[in-house]
Amino acid sequence: MNIYTDRAQAFASAVAACNAGDWPRAEQLLRTAIQLDPRNARAHDLLGMSHYFQNRLGDAEQSIRNALSIEDNADFHFSLGLVLSKALKFEGAAEAYGNSLRLDPNSIATCNNLANIYLNLDRHEEAIDLFRKSTQLEPQFSVGFANLGMSLFE
């Protein structure tokens, strides 16, 4: 029996399970939240991330693409980039991170992740440019400086 009839309550409970790292419970609650509100793009994205953390990358990709079919959102493109990167689908990951950066051009994490994907695709100059951008956006971003240094060394 589904105890949730209020979609906000169902979604809030699902978010709490995600924050606790209880991915199987989060998945169950997110499915309920989506059943109550099929157009909740954030719930579809979080369902994708619950699949990602359970290493179910095909399910993760589909759920996040569902979110993107509802709303073009930088965070959802970023999530898709994570999934495709983990699945070693680097061209798709580059496209997803590129879309995320188009919507949020000052995202340090997206600059860094896209740069790392570019390295996997032998697009070193583009990677270097993005590592530089990440360190300009956040001068204390030590990971960006380390990645930039290693990229320049290669």
Side-chain angles (χ1 to χ4, degrees):
M1 180 172 130
N2 182 355
I3 62 167
Y4 295 102
T5 55
D6 177 79
R7 56 186 170 191
Q9 180 187 14
F11 184 69
S13 296
V15 169
C18 289
N19 289 338
D22 186 352
W23 301 112
R25 176 85 174 128
E27 179 180 350
Q28 176 187 26
L29 292 167
L30 287 162
R31 287 187 187 285
T32 298
I34 290 167
Q35 184 178 27
L36 293 170
D37 184 6
R39 304 273 312 149
N40 183 337
R42 183 71 56 190
H44 286 281
D45 180 63
L46 285 176
L47 179 60
M49 294 312 296
S50 76
H51 293 313
Y52 171 84
F53 286 111
Q54 295 176 80
N55 208 33
R56 293 173 31 215
L57 301 180
D59 292 336
E61 181 179 350
Q62 183 58 56
S63 292
I64 295 165
R65 288 192 187 280
N66 288 343
L68 286 164
S69 74
I70 298 166
E71 179 185 342
D72 190 25
N73 177 295
D75 291 337
F76 304 163
H77 286 289
F78 185 89
S79 296
L80 184 59
L82 287 173
V83 169
L84 295 174
S85 176
K86 189 172 183 179
L88 305 179
K89 297 178 180 179
F90 297 126
E91 290 288 345
E95 181 180 352
Y97 285 132
N99 286 329
S100 180
L101 207 54
R102 172 181 53 81
L103 295 168
D104 184 5
N106 294 323
S107 170
I108 298 162
T110 305
C111 287
N112 189 66
N113 287 14
L114 180 54
N116 281 310
I117 293 297
Y118 282 164
L119 290 177
N120 282 299
L121 294 171
D122 293 324
R123 294 167 62 178
H124 294 279
E125 292 303 316
E126 291 167 282
I128 289 168
D129 290 345
L130 282 170
F131 286 136
R132 280 193 173 119
K133 180 178 178 178
S134 73
T135 59
Q136 290 167 352
L137 289 169
E138 177 51 63
Q140 302 300 317
F141 186 50
S142 58
V143 171
F145 280 105
N147 288 337
L148 175 59
M150 288 190 297
S151 297
L152 293 170
F153 183 72
E154 291 180 1

